[in-house]
Amino acid sequence: MHVLHDAPLAPLTTFRLGGPALRLVTAETDAEVIDAVREADDSGTPLLVIGGGSNLVIGDKGFEGTALRIATRGVELRGTTLELAAGEVWSDAVARTVEAGLAGIECLAGIPGSAGATPIQNVGAYGQEVSATISEVIAYDRRAGETVTLANEECDFSYRHSRFKADPERYVVLRVRFELEDAGGMSAPVKYAETARALGVEAGDRVPLGQARETVLKLRAGKGMVLDADDHDTWSAGSFFTNPILTEEQFAVFRERVRERLGEGVEPPAYPAGEGRRKTSAAWLIDKAGYTKGYGTGPARISTKHTLALTNRGEATTEDLLGLAREVVAGVREAFGITLVNEPVMVGVGL
């Protein structure tokens, strides 16, 4: 276990923002993770768990407690069952499953961060979510003081949400197990329209796994969603806001607001989101409210490649970023009556 005091946290995040932690512990085994968590809990010290840092917004003042960086490693593939240590790099794990000829997470290629974060956020993109393939999550239960194994149905997965996100102070994910599919080297059925168009197939078709992964990587790179230290459009947390889910009544009111603002012939994006609910596009809302690609004049701006990503152009502070986020939230609310919700976890700050 490696320990540093007054340790910078900005380099551990994809935003490259945030002040220092009083103490930074890097744990390389499950036992070290548990020991660090117990030590913090026994002493009443605030604890911040960091994986790949791709979903964190840390305040400029930093963190008055112990930051625990999970750097555990371990990949085990048994038939179609994949087990990943929480600290494994997610994009590398996806590549390995494609090489092994297993389908189910190939469209989640290029997503930054660690494996342990995927069940917390129920990570998803291009028609796939990890909740469709996760069989079990092994976690340390801080309340019970023991390691527990939670089956998929116990994780309470929903859109960008889970039991772990709902109760962030209780669980520290140690390992994640996935049940994948051997489809003879072919992908899972393609669900996302943009992916199907890029592949030249119909929704529901299967394509070679490698082709699916490479296509998704190209789509993500075109939106600045694949990490590149030289590209400030990737100095972000990916999608900063979740796509709003509305009841039918809320959607009807929203639709009228759209027509009043943009004209009778304009229809907002709408996707099924469960019985009596529809999901609309946060990126569309932001763009139509006037916050287009590249918006901003300061050190924090909207990505030049995707309206849903807020970015650090190199000299930003967290307050710069939050100022931009608040402006976007207020503008979308005024234009369409919808309040956007941040996707990244806020540490010591809020919108």
Side-chain angles (χ1 to χ4, degrees), residues 308-326:
L308 202 48
L310 307 188
T311 67
N312 171 11
R313 307 316 294 184
E315 301 295 331
T317 65
T318 301
E319 278 307 308
D320 291 328
L321 175 76
L322 294 176
L324 175 62
R326 291 170 186 138

Side-chain angles (χ1 to χ4, degrees), residues 196-248:
R197 285 195 300 271
L199 287 163
V201 300
E202 297 294 324
D205 289 347
R206 294 177 185 262
V207 299
L209 278 165
Q211 184 182 0
R213 176 177 175 269
E214 288 302 320
T215 298
V216 166
L217 286 174
K218 288 178 182 177
L219 288 171
R220 291 186 63 85
K223 299 174 183 178
M225 298 291 185
V226 177
L227 294 181
D228 180 348
D230 295 326
D231 181 359
H232 285 284
D233 278 330
T234 74
W235 290 33
S236 75
S239 300
F240 195 88
F241 301 103
T242 58
N243 290 321
I245 295 178
L246 309 174
T247 64
E248 292 291 350

Side-chain angles (χ1 to χ4, degrees), residues 3 26 49 70 75 88 107 124 131 133 146 177 187 198 210 234 249 279 287 294 299 316 323 326 344:
V3 180
T26 299
V49 178
I70 297 183
V75 178
E88 280 292 329
C107 290
S131 57
T133 50
E146 62 184 16
R177 292 188 183 125
S187 70
T234 74
E249 293 79 9
K279 181 168 65 177
D287 181 74
R326 291 170 186 138

Side-chain angles (χ1 to χ4, degrees), residues 15 73 94 103 123 192 218 246 253 295 309 336:
F15 264 125
R73 291 291 182 265
V94 173
V123 165
Y192 201 66
K218 288 178 182 177
L246 309 174
V253 173
Y295 177 87
F336 300 113

